[in-house]
Amino acid sequence: MSTPPLVLQPATLEDMPAITELFYAVFTDPGMRHLFPDTPGTHQWFTATNHTDMLTKPYQKYLKVIDPSTVDAQGRARIAAYAKWDLAMADERGPRFPPWHSDMPQHDCDTFFGKLESERKRVMGDRKHYYLDMLGTHPDYRCRGAGTMLVRWGCELADREGVLADPPESAEVSSMARGLENRG
């Protein structure tokens, strides 16, 4: 029996609660749970943050990969994976996150995400580039090509527009992309 194909689509505002749940299903390591505790307040903050970004930051593109063979009670297909691509110029981006929720360790969040941003600036400088801000595939859908579809979307857009995609010199991004390509 063959596995039904997954489908890449733009994410919608209505998808944000499901994307929050997917985030917590994907990022279970102690470091991420320290930064994003699995509490109702942090879930609400994460959903609201992404919702607001979709409404106010048109340069941030949220994508989902769905499994059309699995639907919920409302008839919506299950989200197997999602990504957030940032297509802004570096000076257009502004802060990545709003103020942290009180359940989150504010100093640790500032330190961690500040280091990520300074490293991206160090590598990319002021060059126009598209940034893969977030990517997560539900454990039930790993090794089925969902991550590859999400990475490929941004890389193909960058190629068409003559822009860099993610920091090409970054070993973490390169190894992640190679791993996705190898798994299909």
Side-chain angles (χ1 to χ4, degrees):
M1 184 170 137
S2 68
T3 305
L6 301 175
V7 178
L8 176 67
Q9 297 179 339
T12 66
L13 291 171
E14 293 76 27
D15 293 323
M16 290 303 110
I19 285 174
T20 297
E21 296 310 310
L22 177 58
F23 174 87
Y24 280 94
V26 171
F27 297 101
T28 60
D29 65 275
M32 287 302 284
R33 287 295 168 92
H34 173 68
L35 297 175
F36 295 94
D38 192 1
T39 66
T42 305
H43 280 244
Q44 183 180 26
W45 175 91
F46 192 85
T47 299
T49 296
N50 287 318
H51 191 273
T52 299
D53 284 354
M54 282 188 84
L55 289 173
T56 64
K57 297 178 180 177
Y59 51 83
Q60 291 185 347
K61 303 300 179 190
Y62 287 80
L63 304 165
K64 63 184 177 183
V65 174
I66 61 163
D67 177 357
S69 70
T70 306
V71 295
D72 64 17
Q74 289 77 34
R76 291 185 301 244
R78 182 176 185 195
I79 299 176
Y82 83 102
K84 175 183 169 187
W85 278 92
D86 191 319
L87 311 181
M89 290 292 292
D91 60 350
E92 296 173 313
R93 285 193 174 100
R96 181 173 175 197
F97 294 109
W100 307 111
H101 188 274
S102 61
D103 290 348
M104 302 165 78
Q106 296 177 15
H107 175 74
D108 294 347
C109 289
D110 286 341
T111 300
F112 178 79
F113 290 105
K115 284 181 182 177
L116 286 179
E117 184 61 22
S118 66
E119 183 63 13
R120 184 162 59 91
K121 284 184 179 190
R122 183 192 67 77
V123 171
M124 298 307 295
D126 291 330
R127 293 178 290 175
K128 173 77 173 160
H129 65 282
Y130 294 162
Y131 173 59
L132 181 59
D133 185 273
M134 182 64 67
L135 173 81
T137 301
H138 192 281
D140 293 348
Y141 290 92
R142 291 189 179 144
C143 300
R144 289 195 43 199
T148 299
M149 286 190 275
L150 294 163
V151 170
R152 187 175 290 138
W153 180 91
C155 291
E156 288 175 355
L157 177 65
D159 287 347
R160 281 193 308 274
E161 296 184 6
V163 173
L164 297 171
D166 270 326
E169 298 88 353
S170 167
E172 293 173 78
V173 171
S174 297
S175 66
M176 179 194 74
R178 275 195 305 276
L180 289 170
E181 287 297 325
N182 291 337
R183 290 191 276 184

